[in-house]
Amino acid sequence: MGSAVERTDDMVREYLTFRGFTSTLKLLDAEIKADKEKGFRVDKIIDQLHQFIQAYDLSALKEYWGYLDRRLFCRLEDVYRPTVNKLRTSLFRYYLVHTVQSNRIEKTQEFFHKQGLELQGHAEWRDWFILPFIQSPEQNPVFSPYFTRQWADTFLVSLHNFLSVLFQCIFDAEVQRTISLQEENEQLRQMLFALQVEPRMKKDEEIVHHKLPPYVQNMDRLVVSCSGGASDQPPIHSRQRRYQDHEKERKELFSKPLTQVRAKCFIYSWDFNVGMLIQAVAEGAGLVEQPFIKLSQEEYGEHHSSIMHCRVDCSGRRVASLDVDGVIKVWSFNPMMQTKATIMSKSPLLSLEWATKPDRLLLLGSGVGTVRLYDTEAKKNLYELAVEEGYPRILSLACSPSGTSFVCSAAAHAARSGSLLEGANRPVAPVLGKLLLWDTKTVKQQLQFSLEPGPVAINCTAFNHNGNLLVTGAADGVIRLFDMQHYESAMSWKAHDGEVYSVEFSYDENTVFSIGEDGKFIQWNIHRSGVKQSEYSLPQDATGPFVLSGYSGYRQVQVPRGRLFAFDSEGQHVLTCSSTGGLIYRLNEGESGLESILSLGGHKAPVVTVDWCSAVDCGTCLTASMDGKIKLSTLLAQKS
């Protein structure tokens, strides 16, 4: 509807310019600029609300919403009034959250001073009157959901969709009303025409018809035959013929449906008391619903070289990213992207992992045989431990969910795990390595795991939810499952032809998934050693090695180091790498394999590592690429 109004305005401008009505044109532009309905452009209406919020103009915000209520919302049926009230409540809460995040406590107090009498009788505002007196409301369980980016994005999408559907319904109603008026006018025109013709025909019947000679009677036939054949039909009045043709065209026109294909229309109403997004399908119920909606995508561009690792902490509040130059950035994305710490290392860094307890600590593995524990809030190293000199490359770190210990994979020097001979297609022999268990409190090595059939570099490690099981993927293509209660290997099997790049437990922890050098994505049953439950095919740009080409024959190749796949909160969908951004697949049982659901896009270089942090119905997907760019995509899960 907004585009139709804009086109109409342009036509009026052209007319005024053609007629030379410059003064009228200036008045029109001034009126359009001051138009509160913004030409029924939803994006401009939301931008206007944003401007009032950014300027802390509470009076203008209330007045503008009141205008929308009087002009638009009052046309709705009473059943939609609760939805309008909830959107208004959420708009004011959005304003309050902005004042708190901007440290404008005086504006927060001003809001309750002006709105207190109006809001004190509403149950949904009962707990909000203490907001100006809380030191850290974003950590309070009552207010914390409203300080998340997911809540803000979902509210704006809900408001946008509500206004879009409202304008479309108003437009459709006006169109139907116009069509009804046209049909009614046409019926009246037919009645008038019939009343005019009837007395004329009666008058014709009263006229005495004189008999003409035969050649005169056949003259009309001669004329018709000369123009293309004779006709036995009597002559028809030209006006009546034009009317019949017009009537025929009109019936054909109105016999066609207005729209051959109706799109699926969603009306979102956000119930902020329970924190659930209710999706009401207006039309097209037969269409297949997408499981996720991409609410927004933002870019973190503080790195200047290819990313190796990118991980979200346990709380979902901070991200740690490591590039090939050894630069680590610790940054937050809620409510806005902000770099919290930058770690520069003289020695190369190869791995990182967030500690579980406390979650502000970060484990960093280097290429010179050291592991550091870094405090991201204090911005300092708590301690640094040294591993054996013969195994200086710390390839993988994994912290136990209990927080009492972590495992460390140390490997010998090599260009890469399982280095290739020049011209050969297969590695000569896997690189040697050790798998060690360290106590985080005493900062001492507890034990060294036995790696059968011999010492080998472990590329990837992952704990299950309670830390009782540890799964590892090695350079010899073997997956090993360790019992962490007895610190011994429970089972192992040959999983891939070549190295294992990435391994993770499934949602129910009855299986593990792995990606290897052979490009295969396989699901393994951990109750039956070496038994494949499923094998999925992925494109080469999802499994590596990753290649970035440039000008003058420039070519950069990167072997996978970080996570190559990540699951959603229910384990039904998996996020993988690709050459242009993350790809989300649905995991299907049997032969149906992977079903592509959503392409996140946004990248100009190959994505080399991913992570997926899920919170309630919203999730945050991280995709990091070889040009140093990290895309943060906020998704909304649609519940069936």
Side-chain angles (χ1 to χ4, degrees):
M1 186 174 181
S3 59
V5 173
E6 194 171 354
R7 287 196 300 270
T8 305
D9 292 343
D10 291 338
M11 292 173 63
V12 174
R13 285 194 183 94
E14 290 180 6
Y15 173 76
L16 294 177
T17 304
F18 174 74
R19 294 297 306 274
F21 298 152
T22 55
S23 300
T24 307
L25 180 61
K26 291 180 180 179
L27 290 175
L28 175 66
D29 290 335
E31 291 286 344
I32 291 176
K33 188 175 181 180
D35 179 24
K36 292 185 177 181
E37 294 171 1
K38 306 299 179 184
F40 298 99
R41 289 278 301 273
V42 177
D43 53 343
K44 290 187 176 181
I45 291 177
I46 294 181
D47 287 343
Q48 182 66 73
L49 293 171
H50 254 298
Q51 291 177 14
F52 291 144
I53 292 174
Q54 296 293 329
Y56 308 100
D57 194 343
L58 179 61
S59 300
L61 183 66
K62 287 177 54 182
E63 193 274 334
Y64 190 64
W65 184 266
Y67 173 82
L68 296 177
D69 196 3
R70 295 189 302 273
R71 184 73 173 86
L72 301 173
F73 303 152
C74 64
R75 300 188 180 191
L76 297 174
E77 298 179 5
D78 292 339
V79 69
Y80 297 109
R81 178 50 55 179
T83 301
V84 175
N85 292 336
K86 288 175 183 176
L87 288 172
R88 179 177 181 271
T89 299
S90 302
L91 179 67
F92 286 155
R93 289 177 177 176
Y94 187 74
Y95 172 83
L96 285 173
V97 169
H98 176 68
T99 61
V100 174
Q101 290 174 340
S102 305
N103 294 323
R104 298 293 299 271
I105 304 301
E106 72 279 3
K107 294 295 180 180
T108 310
Q109 295 173 347
E110 177 192 24
F111 175 86
F112 289 105
H113 177 72
K114 292 183 177 181
Q115 297 292 112
L117 293 177
E118 179 184 348
L119 301 178
Q120 64 183 359
H122 297 272
E124 63 269 19
W125 285 100
R126 185 179 300 127
D127 297 332
W128 283 76
F129 285 91
I130 63 171
L131 182 65
F133 309 101
I134 299 179
Q135 292 294 331
S136 300
E138 65 276 3
Q139 298 179 2
N140 188 288
V142 175
F143 303 107
S144 58
Y146 302 94
F147 284 82
T148 61
R149 178 176 295 273
Q150 289 88 345
W151 181 87
D153 289 341
T154 307
F155 163 64
L156 294 176
V157 169
S158 302
L159 180 59
H160 187 284
N161 289 342
F162 181 79
L163 293 174
S164 299
V165 174
L166 173 61
F167 290 156
Q168 187 62 43
C169 292
I170 293 174
F171 180 73
D172 290 344
E174 291 297 328
V175 170
Q176 292 298 328
R177 180 172 174 270
T178 303
I179 292 174
S180 300
L181 289 174
Q182 290 176 349
E183 291 180 346
E184 184 179 354
N185 290 339
E186 192 63 38
Q187 292 175 359
L188 294 174
R189 192 177 295 111
Q190 292 180 24
M191 294 172 60
L192 178 62
F193 179 76
L195 293 174
Q196 290 176 347
V197 171
E198 186 175 355
R200 186 180 305 165
M201 292 178 65
K202 291 182 178 180
K203 185 181 293 185
D204 292 341
E205 291 175 356
E206 296 176 356
I207 298 176
V208 177
H209 297 280
H210 299 279
K211 188 173 182 180
L212 298 177
Y215 69 89
V216 178
Q217 293 178 357
N218 298 330
M219 190 174 294
D220 61 328
R221 297 187 183 181
L222 293 174
V223 174
V224 174
S225 64
C226 292
S227 62
S231 173
D232 294 332
Q233 298 293 331
I236 303 177
H237 194 277
S238 60
R239 179 181 177 185
Q240 189 174 359
R241 179 182 296 169
R242 287 197 303 270
Y243 173 76
Q244 290 177 352
D245 294 340
H246 170 72
E247 182 67 16
K248 181 179 178 181
E249 292 177 359
R250 192 185 70 83
K251 289 182 178 180
E252 290 179 355
L253 177 63
F254 285 104
S255 65
K256 297 179 181 180
L258 291 177
T259 310
Q260 298 293 339
V261 180
R262 297 304 300 265
K264 189 175 183 184
C265 177
F266 298 104
I267 304 175
Y268 293 105
S269 60
W270 181 256
D271 188 343
F272 298 100
N273 295 329
V274 297
M276 293 292 292
L277 186 67
I278 303 171
Q279 178 194 81
V281 180
E283 293 182 6
L287 299 179
V288 178
E289 296 183 8
Q290 292 296 328
F292 298 101
I293 298 175
K294 186 170 72 171
L295 299 178
S296 63
Q297 187 178 76
E298 298 175 89
E299 178 180 293
Y300 184 78
E302 295 296 320
H303 288 280
H304 304 289
S305 59
S306 179
I307 307 297
M308 293 175 62
H309 295 274
C310 185
R311 298 296 300 270
V312 187
D313 69 354
C314 301
S315 64
R317 296 184 291 114
R318 289 182 294 264
V319 179
S321 49
L322 166 65
D323 60 33
V324 295
D325 291 336
V327 178
I328 292 180
K329 297 284 186 178
V330 179
W331 47 283
S332 63
F333 54 87
N334 192 5
M336 62 187 68
M337 282 190 177
Q338 183 179 10
T339 301
K340 298 295 186 179
T342 300
I343 307 171
M344 308 290 290
S345 176
K346 296 181 180 179
S347 58
L349 295 175
L350 303 179
S351 56
L352 65 81
E353 175 71 4
W354 284 101
T356 52
K357 296 178 182 179
D359 59 5
R360 70 175 187 276
L361 303 181
L362 191 64
L363 290 167
L364 306 175
S366 73
V368 294
T370 59
V371 176
R372 283 187 286 168
L373 188 65
Y374 183 84
D375 191 327
T376 58
E377 292 185 0
K379 299 181 181 181
K380 65 178 182 180
N381 291 323
L382 297 184
Y383 60 78
E384 183 173 351
L385 57 93
V387 189
E388 298 182 25
E389 294 182 0
Y391 301 91
R393 300 168 61 241
I394 311 301
L395 298 182
S396 179
L397 295 165
C399 190
S400 171
S402 64
T404 59
S405 60
F406 68 91
V407 294
C408 165
S409 168
H413 273 298
R416 51 165 291 190
S417 298
S419 58
L420 298 174
L421 282 178
E422 185 177 355
N425 293 325
R426 299 298 306 276
V428 178
V431 176
L432 299 180
K434 293 183 177 181
L435 185 63
L436 309 173
L437 180 68
W438 290 78
D439 189 298
T440 54
K441 294 182 179 180
T442 62
V443 198
K444 293 182 179 180
Q445 179 180 324
Q446 287 184 268
L447 59 92
Q448 176 180 333
F449 291 94
S450 175
L451 301 177
E452 299 296 337
V456 66
I458 301 295
N459 291 333
C460 47
T461 54
F463 280 97
N464 71 334
H465 78 285
N466 57 12
N468 289 336
L469 294 176
L470 172 71
V471 64
T472 66
D476 58 359
V478 175
I479 291 179
R480 296 170 174 84
L481 189 68
F482 292 91
D483 180 359
M484 296 303 292
Q485 292 181 324
H486 300 91
Y487 303 112
E488 61 184 12
S489 176
M491 63 179 68
S492 63
W493 63 91
K494 181 70 174 179
H496 293 276
D497 186 12
E499 301 186 29
V500 181
Y501 285 151
S502 190
V503 63
E504 297 288 341
F505 279 98
S506 64
Y507 176 73
D508 59 8
E509 298 184 351
N510 288 318
T511 61
V512 294
F513 287 82
S514 63
I515 288 181
E517 189 178 1
D518 54 8
K520 296 179 180 179
F521 182 41
I522 305 177
Q523 182 181 12
W524 304 92
N525 190 327
I526 65 173
H527 302 293
R528 300 172 63 189
S529 178
V531 175
K532 292 182 184 179
Q533 185 157 320
S534 302
E535 181 174 335
Y536 306 99
S537 58
L538 288 175
Q540 185 178 357
D541 56 4
T543 60
F546 305 103
V547 180
L548 178 63
S549 301
Y551 297 105
S552 303
Y554 171 80
R555 190 169 183 267
Q556 179 183 350
V557 180
Q558 181 172 329
V559 177
R561 289 299 179 203
R563 298 178 69 176
L564 297 183
F565 62 94
F567 296 106
D568 68 337
S569 60
E570 297 180 353
Q572 298 178 357
H573 301 87
V574 60
L575 171 66
T576 68
C577 304
S578 79
S579 58
T580 57
L583 282 177
I584 296 179
Y585 295 92
R586 178 186 283 117
L587 294 171
N588 295 320
E589 296 290 340
E591 299 179 356
S592 54
L594 296 175
E595 178 186 354
S596 180
I597 296 299
L598 178 64
S599 175
L600 300 180
H603 284 278
K604 297 180 180 180
V607 172
V608 295
T609 183
V610 299
D611 201 3
W612 194 337
C613 174
S614 299
V616 195
D617 286 338
C618 294
T620 302
C621 291
L622 291 171
T623 53
S625 60
M626 293 185 70
D627 59 0
K629 306 299 182 184
I630 301 174
K631 296 290 184 178
L632 187 144
S633 304
T634 303
L635 304 183
L636 177 68
Q638 301 191 80
K639 298 300 183 181
S640 57

